Amino acid sequence: MEDVLPVRFDYHALPSRVLFGAGRRRETPEVARQLGCARPLIVSTPEQKDLAGAIASLFSASSAHIFPEAAMHTPWDVTSRALAVVQESGVDSLIAVGGGSAIGLAKALALRTGLPQIALPTTYAGSEVTPIIGETQDGQKRTRRTLDVLPEVVIYDVDLTLTLPARLSATSGLNAIAHAVEALYSVDANPVTSIQAEQGIAALAAALPEILANPASRDARSRAQYGAWLCGTCLGSVGMALHHKVCHVLGGTFDLPHADTHAVMLAHVVAYQAGAVPHAMRRIARALDADNAWTGLHALAATLHVPRSLAEIGMPHEDLGRVAELVLQETYANPRTPDYESIRAMLERAWRGAAPQPDSL
Ligand code: NAD
C-alpha cells in the first residue's frame, strides 16, 4: 500500500521538551530550576489533590502552592479563581498534574500570566503537547491556538498513569486516536505528522485492550503514553477538522463528558469523511490492522467497552438539530463540506448507537 506524498506542504516543529520514563516525576524540581523557577503553583482536579501534594513535596519546604480545583472544559470561573491565587502567592511557574482538565487550567493561567509550565500528564488525552486551549464561558466552548499555552516541558512518567481507571484509559486513549485520525486528513497534513499519526494510532490501538485486561501493566501503559504523545503532537502541529468541532459543540454546549463524546463519535465521523479522503482511510485501517477505518474504530470501541451512543452519555434527542446547526457555524476546515441533513443523520446514528455508515461512498 503506497502512501501519497503531498506535492506541497508546510511543517512546524513545536518547541517543547519531553522527558519520558518511569520515575521521572522526581526530576520536576530540577526541570523547574532549569527554567529559572523554584516556587510553582501546582494545579490538579479535586480528585488528584493528593498527587499534587506529592509533587509539591518534591520541592523545598512550602515553596510550592496547590490549586486543586481544575474542571473539565476549562470553565472561566475556575480560571479566574486560580488567577487570583497566582497573583496573591507570587508563584513563578505552573505545574499541571493530571489529565486535560488540569493541563487546560495551567494553559489558561500561562496565557494570562506568561508563567512557564511543566506538565505531568496522567491520562492519554494529549493536551500537554498542543498549543491549543479550549475554554468555556456562558455555555460556549471556544478554542484557540497559540504557542503561549504550550507547556515548556512535559514529563511522561508511566507511574502516574497506573491508577487511571480502565474506562478512562480507554476513552482518553480514543480521544488521542481522534487527534491522529484528523491529522491524517487535515488541510495541513504533512508527511511527518502523518507518520506520527499512524504510529500513534497503532501504539494506542494495541496497548488499550492490554490495559483493560491488565491495568497494572507498565509496559502497555508506557506504550499508550508513547501513543498519546505522538497523537497529541499531531493535534498540536496541524489543524483539527469536523470530529473535533462536533465534540466541542457536544462538550461545550451540552456538557457531555469530553473523552466519552470522542469515543462515541469517532467511528461515525470517520465514516462520514471516508469518500473524501481514501488515502487517510487506508492509513487508519493499516494502523488498526482492520479492513477499513470506520469498522476498525467501531470494533476497537466495542473491545474497549466504552459508551457507544450519545443517548447513553446524556445527549437529549430533541437537541440533535441544534447540534447540527452549531457544528455548521464557524466550522473547521474539513475534507467533506458538511451540510445540515448529513450531519443530522450522522448524529442520529451516533445517538442510537447504530453502526457507522459511509453515506458518501
Ligand atoms: P480529565 O483531566 O478531565 O480527567 C478525568 C478524571 O480522571 C478527573 O477526575 C481526573 O482527576 C481523573 N484522573 C486523571 N488521571 C488519573 C489517574 N492517573 N488516576 C486516577 N484518576 C485520574 O480527563 P482528560 O480526558 O484527560 O481531559 C479532558 C479535558 O482535556 C477536556 O476539557 C478537553 O477539552 C481537554 N483536552 C484538551 C486538549 C488540547 O489540546 N487543548 C486535548 C485533549 C483534551
Side-chain angles (χ1 to χ4, degrees):
M1 194 187 296
E2 282 200 18
D3 298 327
V4 181
L5 178 68
V7 287
R8 181 188 165 100
F9 58 85
D10 289 7
Y11 172 68
H12 302 273
L14 291 168
S16 67
R17 179 178 168 216
V18 171
L19 310 182
F20 192 98
R24 299 200 70 177
R25 65 188 176 284
R26 294 187 202 95
E27 295 174 38
T28 309
E30 173 58 16
V31 167
R33 196 192 60 74
Q34 288 162 358
L35 291 170
C37 303
R39 299 185 315 282
L41 180 70
I42 302 178
V43 302
S44 73
T45 59
E47 297 80 12
Q48 289 183 288
K49 185 179 180 183
D50 290 350
L51 180 59
I55 299 299
S57 71
L58 298 171
F59 286 80
S60 54
S62 65
S63 57
H65 289 70
I66 296 175
F67 184 86
E69 294 179 38
M72 205 170 282
H73 304 307
T74 329
W76 173 249
D77 59 314
V78 175
T79 301
S80 57
R81 282 202 303 279
L83 272 172
V85 174
V86 168
Q87 271 140 24
E88 285 155 21
S89 58
V91 294
D92 61 10
S93 50
L94 303 162
I95 297 179
V97 184
S101 296
I103 293 164
L105 175 58
K107 286 178 169 183
L109 298 174
L111 182 63
R112 283 145 190 121
T113 61
L115 292 176
Q117 303 175 72
I118 301 170
L120 291 109
T122 65
T123 70
Y124 306 125
S127 175
E128 63 280 357
V129 284
T130 78
I132 300 168
I133 180 164
E135 297 182 283
T136 309
Q137 195 169 10
D138 304 327
Q140 286 263 345
K141 185 163 182 173
R142 291 203 176 77
T143 303
R144 60 179 135 164
R145 191 178 273 267
T146 163
L147 281 176
D148 295 343
V149 303
L150 183 72
E152 277 72 3
V153 185
V154 181
I155 302 178
Y156 285 105
D157 183 337
V158 68
D159 296 346
L160 302 181
T161 65
L162 295 175
T163 51
L164 186 65
R167 180 185 153 135
L168 270 171
S169 301
T171 53
S172 73
L174 285 167
N175 184 189
I177 287 178
H179 306 332
V181 161
E182 295 238 288
L184 284 165
Y185 55 65
S186 165
V187 279
D188 315 313
N190 64 70
V192 177
T193 51
S194 294
I195 290 168
Q196 292 171 325
E198 199 174 325
Q199 276 279 309
I201 296 169
L204 277 160
L208 294 176
E210 289 180 41
I211 292 171
L212 236 64
N214 179 11
S217 169
R218 296 164 121 237
D219 172 55
R221 286 201 180 269
S222 285
R223 286 184 282 117
Q225 260 193 327
Y226 170 66
W229 169 41
L230 292 176
C231 292
T233 303
C234 290
L235 178 68
S237 308
V238 299
M240 294 175 269
L242 180 67
H243 171 77
H244 282 80
K245 177 68 187 185
V246 170
C247 292
H248 288 163
V249 169
L250 291 167
T253 306
F254 297 92
D255 206 27
L256 300 193
H258 178 86
D260 284 0
T261 309
H262 275 272
V264 171
M265 288 308 309
L266 184 58
H268 291 282
V269 180
V270 166
Y272 184 90
Q273 315 276 36
V277 277
H279 59 284
M281 295 297 132
R282 283 196 293 275
R283 292 188 82 152
I284 298 164
R286 184 167 67 187
L288 296 168
D289 196 18
D291 290 340
N292 69 54
W294 58 96
T295 55
L297 288 167
H298 198 57
L300 179 62
T303 306
L304 297 176
H305 305 299
V306 294
R308 306 298 297 281
S309 70
L310 290 179
E312 206 181 326
I313 59 171
M315 181 65 209
H317 187 262
E318 64 270 23
D319 287 330
L320 292 183
R322 175 84 184 122
V323 176
E325 283 166 13
L326 289 170
V327 165
L328 295 175
Q329 283 173 14
E330 299 170 36
T331 195
Y332 305 164
N334 194 62
R336 175 179 172 191
T337 305
D339 62 82
Y340 180 87
E341 290 307 325
S342 61
I343 294 288
R344 178 69 183 75
M346 176 186 71
L347 289 168
E348 181 67 36
R349 283 192 291 277
W351 191 85
R352 286 190 278 112
Q357 196 178 310
D359 60 2
S360 62
L361 285 182

Coordinates of all heavy atoms in Angstrom, one line a residue, residues 178 180-189 239 241-243 266 269-270 273 277 279-281 284 333-335:
A178 N -8.3 10.1 18.1 CA -9.1 11.0 17.3 C -8.2 12.2 16.8 O -8.3 12.6 15.7 CB -10.2 11.6 18.1
A180 N -5.0 11.9 16.0 CA -4.2 11.4 14.9 C -5.0 11.2 13.7 O -4.6 11.4 12.6 CB -3.5 10.1 15.4
V181 N -6.2 10.7 13.9 CA -7.1 10.4 12.7 C -7.3 11.7 12.0 O -7.2 11.8 10.7 CB -8.4 9.8 13.2 CG1 -9.5 10.0 12.2 CG2 -8.3 8.4 13.6
E182 N -7.7 12.8 12.7 CA -7.9 14.0 12.0 C -6.7 14.6 11.4 O -6.7 15.4 10.4 CB -8.6 15.0 12.9 CG -10.0 14.6 13.4 CD -11.1 15.5 13.0 OE1 -11.2 16.5 13.7 OE2 -11.9 15.2 12.1
A183 N -5.5 14.3 12.0 CA -4.2 14.8 11.4 C -4.0 14.2 10.0 O -3.4 14.8 9.2 CB -3.1 14.5 12.3
L184 N -4.5 13.0 9.8 CA -4.2 12.3 8.6 C -5.0 12.9 7.4 O -4.7 12.8 6.3 CB -4.5 10.8 8.7 CG -3.5 10.0 9.4 CD1 -4.0 8.6 9.8 CD2 -2.2 9.9 8.6
Y185 N -6.1 13.6 7.7 CA -6.9 14.3 6.7 C -7.0 15.8 6.9 O -7.9 16.5 6.3 CB -8.2 13.6 6.4 CG -9.2 13.5 7.6 CD1 -9.7 14.6 8.2 CD2 -9.6 12.2 8.0 CE1 -10.6 14.5 9.3 CE2 -10.4 12.1 9.1 CZ -11.0 13.2 9.7 OH -11.8 13.1 10.8
S186 N -6.2 16.3 7.8 CA -6.2 17.8 8.0 C -5.8 18.5 6.7 O -5.0 18.0 5.9 CB -5.2 18.1 9.1 OG -4.9 19.5 9.2
V187 N -6.2 19.8 6.6 CA -5.8 20.6 5.5 C -4.3 20.8 5.6 O -3.6 21.1 4.5 CB -6.5 22.0 5.4 CG1 -7.8 21.9 4.8 CG2 -6.5 22.7 6.8
D188 N -3.7 20.8 6.8 CA -2.3 21.0 6.9 C -1.5 19.7 7.0 O -0.3 19.7 7.4 CB -2.0 21.7 8.3 CG -2.9 22.8 8.6 OD1 -3.0 23.6 7.6 OD2 -3.4 22.9 9.7
A189 N -2.1 18.6 6.7 CA -1.4 17.3 6.8 C 0.0 17.3 6.1 O 0.1 18.0 5.0 CB -2.2 16.2 6.2
G239 N -4.1 21.3 11.8 CA -5.5 21.8 12.1 C -6.4 20.6 12.4 O -6.3 19.5 11.9
A241 N -10.4 19.0 12.4 CA -11.5 19.0 11.5 C -12.8 18.7 12.1 O -13.0 18.9 13.3 CB -11.1 18.1 10.3
L242 N -13.7 18.2 11.3 CA -15.1 18.0 11.8 C -15.3 17.3 13.1 O -16.1 17.7 13.9 CB -15.9 17.3 10.7 CG -17.4 17.0 10.9 CD1 -18.1 18.3 10.9 CD2 -17.9 16.1 9.9
H243 N -14.6 16.2 13.3 CA -14.8 15.4 14.5 C -14.6 16.3 15.8 O -15.4 16.2 16.7 CB -13.8 14.2 14.6 CG -13.8 13.5 15.9 ND1 -14.8 12.7 16.2 CD2 -13.0 13.6 16.9 CE1 -14.6 12.2 17.4 NE2 -13.5 12.7 17.9
L266 N -16.2 9.1 17.2 CA -15.1 9.0 16.2 C -15.4 8.1 15.0 O -15.2 8.5 13.8 CB -13.8 8.4 16.9 CG -12.5 8.4 16.1 CD1 -12.2 9.7 15.5 CD2 -11.4 7.8 16.9
V269 N -17.8 9.9 12.6 CA -17.2 11.0 11.8 C -16.3 10.5 10.7 O -16.3 10.9 9.6 CB -16.5 12.1 12.7 CG1 -16.0 13.2 11.8 CG2 -17.5 12.6 13.7
V270 N -15.5 9.4 11.1 CA -14.6 8.9 10.1 C -15.4 8.3 8.9 O -15.0 8.5 7.7 CB -13.7 7.8 10.8 CG1 -13.0 7.0 9.7 CG2 -12.7 8.5 11.6
Q273 N -16.4 11.0 6.6 CA -15.4 11.6 5.8 C -14.9 10.7 4.7 O -14.2 11.1 3.8 CB -14.1 11.9 6.7 CG -14.4 12.6 8.0 CD -14.5 14.1 7.8 OE1 -15.0 14.6 6.8 NE2 -14.0 14.8 8.8
V277 N -11.5 11.2 1.6 CA -10.1 11.1 1.9 C -9.7 9.6 2.0 O -9.3 9.1 3.0 CB -9.7 11.8 3.2 CG1 -9.5 13.3 3.0 CG2 -10.8 11.6 4.3
H279 N -7.0 8.1 1.0 CA -5.7 7.8 1.4 C -5.5 7.8 3.0 O -4.9 6.9 3.5 CB -4.7 8.8 0.8 CG -5.0 10.2 1.2 ND1 -6.0 10.9 0.7 CD2 -4.4 11.0 2.1 CE1 -6.1 12.1 1.2 NE2 -5.1 12.2 2.1
A280 N -6.2 8.7 3.6 CA -6.2 8.7 5.1 C -6.9 7.5 5.6 O -6.5 6.9 6.6 CB -6.9 10.0 5.6
M281 N -8.0 7.1 5.0 CA -8.7 5.9 5.5 C -7.8 4.6 5.4 O -7.8 3.8 6.3 CB -10.0 5.6 4.6 CG -11.0 6.7 4.7 SD -11.7 6.9 6.4 CE -11.6 8.6 6.6
I284 N -5.4 4.8 8.4 CA -6.0 4.5 9.7 C -6.3 3.0 9.7 O -6.0 2.3 10.8 CB -7.4 5.2 9.8 CG1 -7.1 6.8 9.8 CG2 -8.1 4.8 11.1 CD1 -8.4 7.6 9.5
A333 N -11.9 23.7 8.9 CA -11.7 23.2 7.5 C -11.9 21.7 7.5 O -11.4 21.0 8.4 CB -10.3 23.6 7.1
N334 N -12.6 21.2 6.6 CA -12.9 19.7 6.6 C -12.9 19.2 5.1 O -13.3 19.9 4.2 CB -14.3 19.5 7.2 CG -14.5 18.1 7.5 OD1 -13.8 17.5 8.3 ND2 -15.5 17.5 6.9
P335 N -12.4 18.0 5.0 CA -12.3 17.4 3.6 C -13.6 17.3 2.9 O -13.7 17.4 1.7 CB -11.6 16.1 3.8 CG -11.7 15.7 5.2 CD -11.8 17.1 5.9

